[in-house]
Amino acid sequence: MAKNQEKELDINDEYQQRLKKLEQLKAQGQNPFPAKSKQTMTVADFLNDFDKLVKSEKKVVLVGRIISLRLQGGSCFLHFRDGSGQVQAFIRKDQLGADEYENFKNNFDAGDFAQFSGQAFVTKTKEATILVDKLEILSKALQSIPDQYYGLKDPDTRFRKRYLDLLVNPGVKKVFDLRSQITSLVREFFDKQGYTEVDTPMLQHIASGATAQPFVTHHNALDMELFLRVAPELYLKRLIIGGYDKVYEIARCFRNEGIDHQHNPEFTQIEAYEAYKDYNDYMALVEKLMEHLVKQVNNGSTKIKNGKDVLDFKAPYPRLDFKEALEKELKVDLEKTSDQELAAIGKKAGLAIDASWGRGKLLDELYKKFVRSKLIQPVFIINHPLELSPLAKKIPGRENYVERFQLVVKTAELCNAFSELNDPIDQGERFNEQK
């Protein structure tokens, strides 16, 4: 590796140098890419049992990717990492043997996968270390990895090359692991509630279930245009029609639209349906789910620090009526305020009002601007305008509003649900109005 870490490596030269090292390993009769290792424990287990291993002087075999090396004449400190954690190795010429040490010094690089045999060892700085008496290559890396000190900072490179991001920024793996844990907990939660998990089609002949621009593809054998699903909604509802009382899906969805920190063209959503229940029942279910998830990943506590805020997911959550909340912020009576007046309020607040927007869209954008942007703690926004919710039941006595809720946390919508409309006459009339 170059001594001057600030100087950019010539990638082509680095590649050629590593190719030479690869050939030297082969010339010495070593297989630079063996099929398996002789690992006896993970790095995490080594660290957890470290004190016992020091006392017992038991020999262990660890494996991992070399992250950094610090050669010091006849010795070297290096750090390597497996999927469970990172640890330091100490390699000494007199411990490894002169020939083996020269082989290591000349042919091993950061990025290589290696097998380290030895004993637990405490350095002067009290860092848990493995004192290596045997070293083997497991996979020779022909490309250099990003420097651990300077890291991988460019956001575009990080998102396009997640494998490098994971390699250089260990905190990213924690996020990935947390996502996996939450997915498992969600599945466990719904299973225990008596729901049946299902898989519905991702290739659909009609892009349905949400208002979104779909990705389009072509089925050669059937010679027909198909769409990647934007939501699994209609297929799940058909299962309810077919006799299931409770179904859910952890669904991969695709929307050919913009990208920001809350929207991605390819994403996963959890969608669930239960017969004989309304939106009040589902608010109770969502509260139970969210509190359960947070406690499971947060050592039993319902409170999570996020930036300057401490979010508390202890149920129950406040219910905030859409109309009442918006009227309070705008200081108007919505029933006496025209679309033109609403548009004027939006323009004054800096919203880019489109002439094609109907009343529902105007109300929704004003809500996001004046209400949702101020919500920090978990809260249910309930009873949305009819124009925004064509598949939800009307509220008795409030014909322009429906039984719908959204869970909002720190200005972000985490959940959307409603009492499903099952009146075919009402549904047909709404569809006709939307045409």
Side-chain angles (χ1 to χ4, degrees), residues 204-232:
Q204 304 178 352
H205 69 282
I206 297 175
S208 60
T211 304
Q213 184 70 31
F215 285 93
V216 185
T217 187
H218 186 81
H219 194 301
N220 291 334
L222 299 178
D223 190 24
M224 65 183 296
E225 190 175 75
L226 293 172
F227 305 93
L228 291 179
R229 71 176 172 203
V230 296

Side-chain angles (χ1 to χ4, degrees), residues 277-337:
K277 302 294 182 180
D278 69 0
Y279 75 145
N280 289 304
D281 297 305
Y282 251 64
M283 276 188 271
L285 182 75
V286 169
E287 286 174 329
K288 187 175 181 180
L289 170 63
M290 295 302 297
E291 182 175 338
H292 172 71
L293 292 178
V294 172
K295 290 172 72 174
Q296 287 295 310
V297 302
N298 196 39
N299 298 318
S301 173
T302 60
K303 295 181 179 181
I304 293 179
K305 193 172 190 313
N306 183 275
K308 296 180 180 179
D309 301 305
V310 176
L311 307 176
D312 192 351
F313 286 86
K314 175 69 176 176
Y317 307 148
R319 274 69 167 159
L320 194 59
D321 184 90
F322 184 101
K323 178 177 180 290
E324 292 176 3
L326 189 53
E327 286 182 334
K328 180 179 179 181
E329 291 296 330
L330 299 184
K331 296 179 174 55
V332 299
D333 183 341
L334 291 180
E335 302 303 322
K336 299 178 180 179
T337 307

